Amino acid sequence: MVDPALETPDWIRATETGAWHLTGSQCPTCSAAYFPGRRHCVECGADEETRPFDVGGGGEIYSWTRIHVGAGAPYVLAYIDTPSGVRVMGRMDDAVSAQVAVGTYVSFLPGVADGELDGGHRVGHIALMEGR
Amino acid sequence: MSREPYVLGVGMTTFGKHPDATLGELGAEAVRAAVHDVGGPVVIDEVFAGSALGGMLVGQRVMREVGANGLPIFNVENACSSSAAALHLALDRVRSGVCETALVVGVEQLTKLGGGPLPLDADDWEAAQGMVMPAVYAMRARRYMTETGTTAEDLAEVSVKNHNNGVLNPRAAWNKTIDLDDVAASRMIADPFTLLHCCPSVDGAAAVLISTKERAEARDGDKVRVLSSVVRSGEFKNGFRDMTRSALSFRAIEQAYTEAGITARDVDVAEVHDAFTIAELMYYESLGLCGRGEAVELLRSGATQITGSTPVNPSGGLLARGHPVGATGAAQIVELVNQLRGDAGAVQVTNDPEIAVAHCTGGGAWGFDHGVCSIHLLARC
């Protein structure tokens, strides 16, 4: 279910099946993929601008940690290796973390900030959920 | 004409809390100690000041306090490698003959920032996800543990070694002997790291005077020559990267060994960037002290203890000396020069060292394994 009030930035979108996919960019010349997207390729330095690229809806945890210091702690950070070859950092709420491990498949979701500033509708980070 | 640069004098403050000093006063204390170490009059031609978070005109604020004004001053920011990068530039100026004697000073006052993890750029993509420096190293550690079978207790052995070295070092922030239970019982920061797996953010300053062979020979005792100086930056990568291996450190160290015409076997003592316990193990491998996955074995063999065959971080390293970010690179040089001269007191290594390596990194921007890596090779002569 997509919350109609959710202000989704251009790097995450709901697919027809209800899954969330990240949008990065890809170089039309050398096919290097990026997330977050960037206007120009830094691999081949092509003049031609990159194009939007579907990073996919999730991937496997490369590594993770639970952070106990700083704003919003505790929370879990993880690097996710996507099938598109891009590594993405995402964030889990603490309750989910007990079930995660290196190699676990997680899906991307729009991560909403605590809502102090904007009523909780602004997507600020990538939230992770175990499973597909 | 190219000239070989020598270390003329070194000095540093104690690392820890210095709430009553200004940044300039703190830096000046280190500069005075370095000048005093020379033991005679010193004419400084140029100043290279390293600081990551000290604000504008750090070198001017330091030199104002020692009463040496009007010199060419260059302020260098390169995260944790700030004063190591400043040293690199100073060495070039002496080597090229532009100046006779250059002063390097690194200074940082982190306790005035309120403690906790270092502040990162608010526009940084990963900082927006909640990334903090301990998290990056914690993820390196978890992956390293997964791939090599290393345990959190193995990592804690690094903490015990370095903190107990620090107890012997009057310049170190840490002054209490610890054991594995203390490491496990300290509060959780970013698992598998408890507090004692992480270096403390402290205040401190260190200074190094670089000059020519002729100047250095005027000083009594052993001389220390700089064999090579390498500063490299990380390569941006958005794809999969092996986080258990510091590719940047491998590159920088290989270049430094090649330039100096030595190999890892020639290294007698090292100060490495142990910002977190896992880092020291990774850098054993980067330095070539052991092979892939053999770091824990090397540590457990005792080889990297003060009394070992290749002591690493006899000063206590960042874990125990403390990590005043921009001052760390210069402080490593101070410690190693003392080791090579045989002046290191209670932390003096026992293998009569002739060649020392200082390894310093710097991070905090997404897309790099590290932002920067600096290597300095020093030789007694």
Side-chain angles (χ1 to χ4, degrees):
Chain A
M1 257 297 275
V2 179
D3 178 353
L6 205 60
E7 296 172 32
T8 51
D10 58 7
W11 48 261
I12 193 163
R13 67 184 173 86
T15 64
E16 288 170 2
T17 63
W20 291 91
H21 277 210
L22 300 179
T23 303
S25 67
Q26 188 173 36
C27 174
T29 304
C30 77
S31 299
Y34 299 99
F35 184 85
R38 54 176 52 246
R39 187 176 292 179
H40 288 285
C41 182
V42 293
E43 292 289 336
C44 73
D47 283 339
E48 199 178 346
E49 291 190 5
T50 61
R51 294 168 188 168
F53 173 73
D54 184 1
V55 174
E60 289 184 1
I61 293 178
Y62 173 78
S63 195
W64 64 280
T65 182
R66 187 186 291 104
I67 297 168
H68 296 257
V69 292
Y75 57 93
V76 164
L77 281 186
Y79 275 119
I80 312 305
D81 285 353
T82 66
S84 59
V86 175
R87 181 171 291 170
V88 175
M89 179 180 274
R91 178 170 172 158
M92 278 176 246
D93 70 60
D94 196 48
V96 178
S97 65
Q99 300 141 44
V100 302
V102 169
T104 300
Y105 188 93
V106 292
S107 299
F108 301 131
L109 293 169
V112 179
D114 287 343
E116 292 161 4
L117 298 176
D118 51 31
H121 295 304
R122 189 181 303 253
V123 174
H125 65 273
I126 300 168
L128 303 172
M129 187 182 70
E130 192 192 358
R132 289 176 193 268
Chain B
M1 194 189 79
S2 176
R3 302 182 301 187
E4 289 179 322
Y6 280 68
V7 177
L8 188 63
V10 294
M12 63 186 278
T13 67
T14 57
F15 280 10
K17 289 181 183 168
H18 291 276
D20 298 329
T22 65
L23 189 86
E25 288 168 343
L26 196 59
E29 187 185 333
V31 173
R32 273 193 293 272
V35 170
H36 181 76
D37 179 52
V38 178
V42 180
V43 178
I44 295 169
D45 299 314
E46 292 187 340
V47 179
F48 296 83
S51 189
L53 298 157
M56 286 193 285
L57 300 176
V58 166
Q60 284 85 340
R61 287 149 63 197
V62 170
M63 298 313 286
R64 181 180 62 202
E65 302 306 319
V66 294
N69 300 298
L71 298 174
I73 295 177
F74 303 92
N75 294 303
V76 180
E77 187 283 307
N78 226 350
C80 317
S81 266
S82 293
S83 57
L87 173 61
H88 180 82
L89 298 175
L91 290 164
D92 260 356
R93 299 291 273 187
V94 172
R95 195 182 288 120
S96 64
V98 173
C99 71
E100 187 91 5
T101 302
L103 168 68
V104 178
V105 57
V107 59
E108 207 79 72
Q109 225 171 359
L110 297 179
T111 63
K112 286 190 176 171
L113 299 179
L118 293 176
L120 301 175
D121 179 6
D123 286 340
D124 187 277
W125 170 256
E126 290 187 345
Q129 307 298 309
M131 209 282 280
V132 288
M133 289 310 293
V136 182
Y137 284 86
M139 285 194 273
R140 289 188 206 287
R142 183 171 318 281
R143 188 73 197 187
Y144 190 90
M145 290 159 71
T146 302
E147 291 187 10
T148 65
T150 299
T151 65
E153 191 168 293
D154 292 329
L155 299 178
E157 295 275 8
V158 174
S159 173
V160 170
K161 173 179 76 74
N162 291 356
H163 282 98
N164 291 347
N165 287 352
V167 173
L168 302 172
N169 184 351
R171 298 169 293 279
W174 189 261
N175 58 11
K176 206 172 75 187
T177 303
I178 63 163
D179 59 22
L180 289 174
D181 291 340
D182 294 318
V183 180
S186 59
R187 70 186 165 92
M188 190 56 83
I189 301 294
D191 63 352
F193 295 158
T194 58
L195 185 64
L196 290 177
H197 284 265
C198 311
C199 65
S201 298
V202 300
D203 309 326
V208 179
L209 284 158
I210 297 297
S211 194
T212 59
K213 185 179 184 182
E214 293 70 31
R215 298 270 178 191
E217 279 179 343
R219 186 188 182 282
D220 291 337
D222 288 325
K223 316 293 177 275
V224 174
R225 186 161 70 89
V226 182
L227 294 180
S228 60
S229 169
V230 172
V231 177
R232 299 290 296 265
S233 64
E235 290 177 358
F236 173 78
K237 191 168 181 174
N238 207 174
F240 304 165
R241 182 202 294 279
D242 183 354
M243 284 182 75
T244 67
R245 194 177 174 277
S246 173
L248 172 58
S249 291
F250 274 97
R251 272 196 290 134
I253 288 162
E254 187 185 353
Q255 184 183 340
Y257 286 165
T258 302
E259 286 179 9
I262 69 163
T263 70
R265 280 192 296 277
D266 298 312
V267 172
D268 297 313
V269 58
E271 289 284 332
V272 305
H273 202 86
D274 60 330
F276 302 90
T277 49
I278 183 64
E280 179 163 315
L281 297 181
M282 288 172 61
Y283 302 142
Y284 288 173
E285 297 179 10
S286 306
L287 256 59
L289 303 182
C290 67
R292 168 80 182 142
E294 295 169 358
V296 171
E297 202 179 322
L298 181 73
L299 174 68
R300 287 192 181 279
S301 77
T304 58
Q305 298 279 354
I306 287 176
T307 53
S309 54
T310 314
V312 177
N313 287 328
S315 71
L318 279 62
L319 284 170
R321 192 178 58 235
H323 185 31
V325 178
T328 285
Q332 290 179 327
I333 302 301
V334 175
E335 297 287 353
L336 291 172
V337 167
N338 285 335
Q339 291 287 355
L340 293 172
R341 289 174 176 170
D343 286 344
V347 294
Q348 181 65 49
V349 300
T350 55
N351 62 349
D352 192 26
E354 291 179 1
I355 292 185
V357 54
H359 162 274
C360 194
T361 66
W366 85 273
F368 303 107
D369 59 342
H370 301 276
V372 53
C373 180
S374 310
I375 307 292
H376 286 91
L377 288 171
L378 309 176
R380 186 183 70 194
C381 49

